[in-house]
Structures are given as C-alpha cells and as structure tokens.
C-alpha cells in the first residue's frame, strides 16, 4: 500500500513539474534600437501583443500548446518577420525564454527624391566657424573677416533671425560638449562654460587645466555609470574605464593599442645619444615608465610626420556600450552591467576603401545612428554603420570640401563657402539617405 501511495505521489509531482510555466520575453529592435508599437503574433493562436518603449513584450508559456511555435511581427515600417522557436528556457536561472528579434526596414517603392543642401544660417557680415544644437535652436561660433576677428556667439533658429548674441574677446577655437552634454567654448588661452537660458547666452570662465585633465577624459554616462579613459594624444595606447556612481568603484573595460605605432615609438630609443639614454633610464627607475617611452617623447616622435594618434571611440546606446577598436578590427559590446557581451569584426577602415577613411565616427544625438566619414577627391561620404559594424547606406555631400560635419535628427550639417567665392561661410544641411 505504501508503495502505491509513493508511486501516486511521484506521478503527481512529475505532472506538477511538467505543468509549470515560465515567462517568454520578446525584444524587438532595429539596429539595436527598441521598436515601439510593433505587433507580435503567436501563430496558430488568437494572441497578439504590442511592444512598448523598451521594444519588449512578455507572456506566459501556458499560452503556447506546442513545443515548436512561430512568432510573426507586423509593422508597416519594417519588412515582414516570421520565425520558429522552441518552447524551452534559455537563461542562466532556467526561468524564462528570452527571444531577440532584429527587424529590417521595409523596402519602399517610389520615385527617387533628390534634395540639394539648404542654407540653415547665413549672414553678410559673419562667417560660421563652429556650431552646436540647443533644443530647436543653434548656437553658432562666428567671426567677421578672418578666424579670431570680432568673434561672437550667436543663438539662432533655422532660417530665422538671430535671437541673441554674445561678444567673444578671445581667439576662440571651437565648441565642445562634455559627457553630460554641457557646452564649452574652447579658446587659445582659456575655456568657458556656455549656458543658454530661454534666448539669452551666458558664459562662465573655467579653469582650463582642470577642464583638460579632469573633465575631458570623461567620455559618456548612463544613469549609474560614468565612462572615462586615460587617452593622451602623444601615446599610441590607452584604456577605457567605468565608474559606478552607486558604490564609487571602477574597473577597466578595454585596453586599446596601435601595436605598429607603438613599435615605432619604442624604436626611437635606439637612435638617441648616450646621455638621453641615461636620463631615460633614470626616469624609468623614478617613475616606472619604460625608458623607451621617455626617449621617444624627449626626441619629439609624437610631433613627427610618422606619428598618428590612436582613434578608437566608444558610444553609449540604450544603456549598452559599443567600443570601436580600429587596431584589433573589432567592435566590442558591453551590457548594462559593463560585462563584455559580444564582438563583431569590422573592415570599413581597411583595404581600398580604408584609404579614404577620415578617422571619424559620429552619432546622431536624436536617432542614435552611427556614421563614418570618407573622402574621395574632395567629395565627403557619410556611411551609416549598423549594430554589427556593417555599412548599410551611403550619402554623398553635394558640396566639395565641407567643414565641421555633424549629424542631427537625420540630417548632416556642415560649414561651406563655394570655391573662389566672395560669399561668407554659411551653415548648410542635407538629408541623409
């Protein structure tokens, strides 16, 4: 009798385990960006769900009666998607099925639309040296006859008159944003923080040494993390780090090195005189930095024609990090916890096309799409790079040799003055394909 009761209890327990349900989590993205308001269908059932701002839908596995099931995605913005999945958990805790779905844009059939660049800001008196976007307006760094002459900051709307201006009594070089998006005016001898309130421009002088050594190394941020580097233009290697604002801890993320340039850097030691070698050795003993590095710096190698600074930018997109290592030829992906998630090979900077690469990546601050800049015979090309490091589409700038190219909300903005023209340098924009 006891044996029968044991068997019945065992069968009951097994049936209960088999009846356990778990969560099916589906995330729909476009080039890594969550897709909102896409409809997710469970094929063979009447169940459908709509994605939220995170691109996710969650439902119980009890809604699916078969081990193999199909999901389809309906959204007029994207090509049709349908794929079969297996109903079993796939995360570490074995309590959910996580599905990642990447959609491709819909192929729209229609006439080609050609759009010439249009003027955003023009002045018969002022030339545009640099610019930044402030809400729906533009902050312009301008000059009169030549750079450094009668410089001023101008706040203007697109195709509207000046809203306000502020005289700059120094030789201003450029406008820069820090890791929190604050604006700074960089001059030859000093740095100013620039604030725009309503339509007024306010300028506050900063300590240039603190700005260069403390603020500029901070690259980007999320809600809980600040990313920074020890990059120095005169050394062909550096590391990225992340600082956790919750517990004040930090860790190294990735070491970037141009091995070829570093070998040339160290080779300088062979060609310096005995006295410099001795001084370099003494500095190595005192600081721990290799004598070959000291010799190369003292001998002026970073200022030579042979030296090229390292270029390996990183971008935060949707609380995850994309790090472009153009020397290992990979993009590295880090998750929300700053753990290395994946990597993808890149080659747009190599080979025949790589000769035209301008060593410049930029991210659209609205669409969060990433672009790389190429130049061939004076024609500049913006190539959109998807989440896997592939070039998906190109846009040629219609005017040759533009300056200060930036992307914003699906447009490329740039400074331009026609060749051999008396026209001042205007600000233009052109739609991206």
């Amino acid at each position: 009798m006891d044996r029968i009761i044991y068997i019945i209890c065992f069968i009951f327990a097994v049936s209960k385990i088999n009846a356990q349900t778990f969560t099916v989590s589906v995330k729909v993205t476009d080039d890594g960006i969550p897709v909102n308001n896409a409809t997710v269908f469970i094929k063979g059932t009447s169940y459908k769900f709509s994605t939220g701002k995170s691109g996710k839908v969650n439902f119980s596995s009890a809604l699916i009666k078969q081990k193999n099931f199909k999901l389809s995605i309906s959204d007029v913005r994207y090509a049709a998607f349908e794929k079969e999945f297996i109903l079993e958990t796939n995360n570490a805790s074995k309590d959910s099925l996580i599905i990642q779905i990447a959609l491709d844009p819909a192929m729209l059939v229609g006439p080609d639309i050609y759009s010439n660049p249009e003027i955003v800001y023009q002045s018969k008196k002022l030339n545009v040296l640099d610019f930044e976007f402030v809400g729906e307006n533009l902050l312009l760094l301008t000059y009169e006859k030549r750079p450094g002459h009668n410089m001023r900051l101008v706040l203007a709307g697109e195709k509207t008159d000046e809203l306000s201006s502020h005289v700059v009594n120094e030789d201003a070089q450029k406008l820069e944003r820090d890791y929190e998006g604050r604006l700074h005016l960089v001059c030859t001898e000093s740095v100013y923080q620039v604030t725009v309130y309503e339509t007024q421009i306010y300028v506050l002088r900063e300590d240039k040494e603190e700005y260069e050594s403390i603020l500029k190394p901070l690259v980007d941020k999320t809600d809980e993390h600040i990313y920074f580097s020890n990059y120095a233009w005169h050394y062909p290697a550096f590391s990225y780090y992340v600082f956790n604002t919750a517990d004040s801890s930090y860790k190294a993320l990735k070491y970037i090195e141009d091995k070829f340039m570093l070998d040339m850097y160290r080779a300088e030691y062979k060609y310096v005189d005995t006295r410099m070698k001795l001084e370099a050795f003494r500095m190595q003993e005192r600081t721990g930095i290799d004598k070959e590095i000291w010799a190369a710096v003292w001998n002026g190698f970073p200022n030579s024609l042979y030296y090229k600074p390292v270029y390996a930018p990183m971008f935060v997109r949707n609380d995850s990090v994309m790090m472009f290592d153009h020397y290992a030829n990979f993009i590295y992906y880090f998750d929300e916890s700053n753990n290395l998630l994946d990597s993808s090979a890149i080659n747009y900077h190599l080979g025949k096309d790589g000769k035209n690469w301008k060593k410049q990546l930029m991210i659209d601050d609205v669409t969060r799409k990433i672009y790389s800049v190429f130049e061939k015979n004076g024609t500049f090309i913006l190539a959109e790079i998807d989440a896997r490091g592939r070039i998906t589409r190109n846009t040629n700038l219609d005017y040759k040799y533009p300056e200060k190219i930036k992307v914003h909300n699906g447009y490329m903005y740039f400074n331009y003055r026609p060749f051999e023209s008396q026209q001042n340098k205007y600000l233009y924009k052109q739609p991206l394909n």
Side-chain angles (χ1 to χ4, degrees):
M1 184 68 178
D2 292 340
R3 180 179 175 82
I4 294 174
I5 294 174
Y6 176 80
I7 293 173
I8 292 173
C9 290
F10 178 78
I11 293 173
F12 176 78
V14 171
S15 63
K16 188 175 181 180
I17 291 172
N18 290 336
Q20 286 181 344
T21 61
F22 51 86
T23 299
V24 179
S25 178
V26 181
K27 184 173 183 179
V28 183
T29 62
D30 169 18
D31 193 16
I33 300 173
V35 175
N36 189 18
N37 292 327
T39 303
V40 180
F41 293 90
I42 304 176
K43 299 288 287 185
T45 74
S46 59
Y47 298 112
K48 62 180 180 180
F49 310 89
S50 182
T51 60
K53 291 183 178 180
S54 64
K56 292 181 179 179
V57 296
N58 297 316
F59 55 86
S60 173
S61 61
L63 300 181
I64 305 171
K65 304 303 181 184
Q66 298 178 343
K67 189 172 181 62
N68 292 341
F69 68 100
K70 288 184 179 181
L71 292 180
S72 68
I73 311 295
S74 176
D75 192 309
V76 295
R77 298 169 294 177
Y78 299 96
F81 177 92
E82 184 174 307
K83 188 175 179 180
E84 185 174 278
F85 299 92
I86 300 175
L87 190 64
E88 59 183 29
T89 60
N90 64 353
N91 68 328
S93 57
K94 302 296 183 184
D95 61 359
S96 64
L97 168 60
I98 300 174
I99 298 173
Q100 301 273 358
I101 295 176
L103 299 181
D104 295 320
M107 298 301 294
L108 301 178
V109 179
D112 292 333
I113 299 175
Y114 180 79
S115 178
N116 287 317
E118 56 181 293
I119 297 173
V120 176
Y121 175 84
Q122 60 180 324
S123 171
K124 293 182 179 179
K125 185 177 181 181
L126 301 175
N127 295 273
V128 178
L129 178 65
D130 202 355
F131 60 94
E132 280 292 347
F133 307 95
V134 181
E136 296 181 354
N137 298 320
L138 287 156
L139 183 66
L140 309 163
L141 176 59
T142 66
Y143 63 91
E144 288 191 11
K145 296 180 179 180
R146 62 186 182 279
H149 179 257
N150 291 344
M151 304 197 75
R152 69 175 71 175
L153 291 170
V154 174
L155 183 68
E158 291 194 13
K159 298 183 179 179
T160 63
D161 295 333
E162 297 178 7
L163 302 175
S164 63
S165 65
H166 181 90
V167 175
V168 179
N169 292 319
E170 296 189 44
D171 183 12
Q173 305 294 313
K174 56 186 174 180
L175 291 166
E176 288 185 339
R177 285 193 183 274
D178 62 25
Y179 75 108
E180 288 192 321
R182 294 171 299 199
L183 280 169
H184 303 268
L185 175 65
V186 180
C187 303
T188 304
E189 302 295 335
S190 55
V191 177
Y192 298 86
Q193 183 174 332
V194 182
T195 304
V196 177
Y197 180 72
E198 293 182 347
T199 60
Q200 295 301 311
I201 302 171
Y202 299 91
V203 175
L204 177 65
R205 190 184 182 96
E206 301 178 86
D207 186 297
K208 187 171 184 179
E209 184 176 346
E210 288 186 2
Y211 175 78
E212 295 288 344
S213 61
I214 298 175
L215 193 57
K216 282 194 71 174
L218 306 181
V219 180
D220 214 330
K221 63 175 286 189
T222 61
D223 291 339
E224 296 183 356
H225 301 102
I226 297 175
Y227 299 90
F228 64 99
S229 77
N230 60 356
Y231 171 82
W233 71 268
H234 50 76
Y235 187 66
F238 71 99
S239 294
Y240 278 112
Y241 302 86
V242 58
F243 175 78
N244 190 322
T245 57
D247 58 13
S248 297
S249 64
Y250 75 94
K251 71 174 184 178
L253 284 182
K254 189 77 177 63
Y255 173 71
I256 308 290
E257 174 187 274
D258 183 346
K259 188 178 184 307
F260 174 76
M261 194 57 58
L262 192 57
D263 288 343
M264 292 182 64
Y265 209 90
R266 293 182 179 278
E268 286 290 301
Y269 181 79
K270 301 176 182 178
Y271 305 106
V272 299
D273 58 32
T274 304
R275 181 177 179 180
M276 187 176 289
K277 287 180 179 179
L278 179 59
E279 288 298 323
F281 177 78
R282 288 172 178 170
M283 289 299 293
Q284 176 179 287
E285 293 292 306
R286 189 181 309 168
T287 65
I289 300 174
D290 288 352
K291 58 187 179 182
E292 295 171 337
I293 305 302
W294 286 109
V297 172
W298 290 341
N299 206 38
F301 180 70
N303 295 312
S304 71
L305 295 174
Y306 304 104
Y307 179 74
K308 296 180 181 178
V310 177
Y311 184 70
M314 61 155 284
F315 301 101
V316 174
R317 297 208 314 177
N318 308 317
D319 292 328
S320 61
V321 173
M322 296 177 66
M323 195 176 295
F324 290 75
D325 188 342
H326 294 113
Y327 307 95
N329 304 324
F330 277 95
I331 302 176
Y332 296 98
Y333 308 88
F334 296 83
D335 61 19
E336 296 177 0
S337 300
N338 297 299
N339 297 314
L340 183 60
L341 185 65
D342 197 3
S343 63
S344 181
I346 53 175
N347 61 8
Y348 56 82
H349 61 301
L350 302 174
K352 184 178 179 181
D353 292 335
K355 295 178 181 178
N356 302 320
W357 185 51
K358 295 293 289 182
K359 258 192 174 181
Q360 185 179 2
L361 296 183
M362 57 185 69
I363 186 167
D364 190 318
D365 57 345
V366 177
T367 67
R368 307 307 292 172
K369 292 182 178 180
I370 296 174
Y371 299 88
S372 187
V373 181
F374 297 82
E375 184 261 324
K376 186 175 183 180
N377 299 326
T379 298
F380 280 65
I381 304 162
L382 260 68
E384 182 182 336
I385 299 176
D386 67 12
R388 306 307 298 177
R390 300 165 300 191
I391 292 178
T392 58
R393 56 179 66 88
N394 293 333
T395 302
N396 288 15
L397 274 73
D398 290 338
Y399 296 155
K400 287 191 172 185
Y401 299 108
E403 298 178 5
K404 296 288 184 180
I405 300 172
K406 299 179 183 180
V407 291
H408 175 72
N409 199 22
Y411 286 84
M412 47 185 161
Y413 290 73
F414 56 94
N415 297 347
Y416 178 72
R417 173 169 51 205
F419 182 64
E420 294 184 344
S421 168
Q422 296 300 315
Q423 171 193 301
N424 281 342
K425 195 174 291 183
Y426 295 168
L427 178 63
Y428 293 80
K429 74 174 183 180
Q430 180 179 326
L432 292 159
N433 293 334

